[in-house]
Amino acid sequence: MKNIFKPFEDIGKNSRLIIIGSWILLILGFWFISSMGEKHLFPSPKQVLTGFTELYNEGLVVHIASSLWLCLKAIIIAVFISLFFTYLSTIPVIKPIANTLSKLRYLPLTGITFYLAILINDARTMQVWVLVVFMSTYLTTSLLSMISSIDQEEFDHARSLQCGRWEVLWEVVIKGRIDHVIEVIRQNLAIVWMMLVTVESILVAAGGLGFLIKNSDKFMNHGRIIALQIVILAVGLSIDFILNYLRKAFFRYSKI
């Protein structure tokens, strides 16, 4: 048992389950203790369960669907933009554009919404493009790093097979790194999902999980807020699990 406290120690499946179970029990115990008494840090489990019931009766499933649809539209656009500029960054004249897009990740949310509000009148479209800007900047950064990490031997091998420059781009960078692209999208998807609640507050009439949290916070309903945080975390982890499962299913020999 003492091996679980040693760095780089390989442990069995049963030991791993015991460790996970112990941490879950510790977190639940801390939650129960911190929610006792008149002044408490967190709402009680009963308040959270009541929050779940209230949220479900108010159409929680519909709001989750609205958030997922917003997220999906933003992801599709961001992935297309990022892949387009990243793959073409192998052309010297396009590379500065890709690098500039990567540097835009330092822009604050206020600045982005200010300029987008000038260009876009529809609030729902504005929500999509705020998420697109956020994800495409981080996604481009990760994809550029992916390309720069490709060994020179792979390019040399493709050239030795009489591949032209565009064929090298297709075979080595595009086809040869599809599994890495899926992994990069999976990692950067967390940024979109994290920003979703903030972005949805731009247009509360469209609904979504952001609207529910903003509404719950307005009335200081902490039970509902914690319930929503659990829902958001659960949905985000589910998306992450599905993408990781698909990557492993379609690319079984991936080294990631």
Side-chain angles (χ1 to χ4, degrees):
M1 198 65 181
K2 62 182 181 180
N3 291 335
I4 64 174
F5 298 101
K6 294 180 179 179
F8 308 111
E9 185 69 28
D10 291 327
I11 58 175
K13 184 178 180 180
N14 292 334
S15 298
R16 195 176 298 111
L17 290 174
I18 291 172
I19 292 172
I20 294 171
S22 300
W23 277 113
I24 292 173
L25 288 174
L26 282 172
I27 292 171
L28 291 175
F30 177 76
W31 183 14
F32 276 97
I33 294 171
S34 61
S35 62
M36 295 171 62
E38 294 183 2
K39 294 183 178 180
H40 46 265
L41 182 62
F42 297 110
S44 66
K46 183 180 179 181
Q47 289 176 306
V48 175
L49 289 174
T50 303
F52 274 117
T53 305
E54 292 175 354
L55 289 168
Y56 181 80
N57 293 333
E58 292 178 18
L60 176 62
V61 177
V62 176
H63 287 288
I64 292 175
S66 175
S67 295
L68 287 173
W69 179 239
L70 174 62
C71 191
L72 179 62
K73 288 192 289 186
I75 289 167
I76 292 173
I77 298 172
V79 168
F80 177 80
I81 293 173
S82 300
L83 289 177
F84 178 80
F85 285 107
T86 301
Y87 289 149
L88 292 183
S89 68
T90 54
I91 304 173
V93 73
I94 304 295
K95 190 168 185 178
I97 300 176
N99 288 333
T100 301
L101 182 60
S102 170
K103 298 299 184 292
L104 292 179
R105 67 186 185 274
Y106 294 105
L107 281 177
L109 178 62
T110 305
I112 293 173
T113 53
F114 173 77
Y115 287 108
L116 287 176
I118 298 174
L119 300 172
I120 302 171
N121 295 323
D122 182 60
R124 189 65 169 176
T125 306
M126 184 176 172
Q127 287 179 329
V128 173
W129 280 100
V130 169
L131 291 175
V132 167
V133 171
F134 262 92
M135 185 174 185
S136 59
T137 55
Y138 286 95
L139 189 57
T140 301
T141 304
S142 300
L143 291 172
L144 288 173
S145 178
M146 176 199 74
I147 291 178
S148 64
S149 66
I150 299 176
D151 294 331
Q152 184 62 39
E153 287 80 3
E154 295 190 46
F155 294 107
D156 295 337
H157 177 68
R159 293 192 183 99
S160 69
L161 297 175
Q162 305 301 316
C163 291
R165 293 180 182 271
W166 289 101
E167 288 177 308
V168 171
L169 174 63
W170 172 254
E171 295 293 337
V172 178
V173 179
I174 299 177
K175 281 179 61 179
R177 289 296 184 276
I178 295 178
D179 55 329
H180 288 73
V181 170
I182 295 175
E183 179 65 16
V184 168
I185 293 172
R186 184 177 73 89
Q187 296 293 341
N188 285 271
L189 182 61
I191 297 171
V192 173
W193 194 245
M194 179 188 66
M195 289 299 303
L196 194 66
V197 171
T198 304
V199 170
E200 282 183 329
S201 64
I202 296 173
L203 178 64
V204 295
L209 295 171
F211 160 74
L212 291 177
I213 282 194
K214 190 177 181 67
N215 195 42
S216 300
D217 183 58
K218 181 179 178 181
F219 295 102
M220 299 295 289
N221 193 329
H222 299 294
R224 283 169 55 115
I225 292 173
I226 296 297
L228 279 167
Q229 295 281 13
I230 294 172
V231 170
I232 291 170
L233 180 61
V235 174
L237 290 175
S238 299
I239 296 172
D240 184 83
F241 173 81
I242 291 170
L243 283 176
N244 195 37
Y245 175 81
L246 291 174
R247 180 183 62 80
K248 290 180 178 179
F250 286 102
F251 305 96
R252 287 199 249 173
Y253 301 103
S254 172
K255 296 180 181 179
I256 301 176

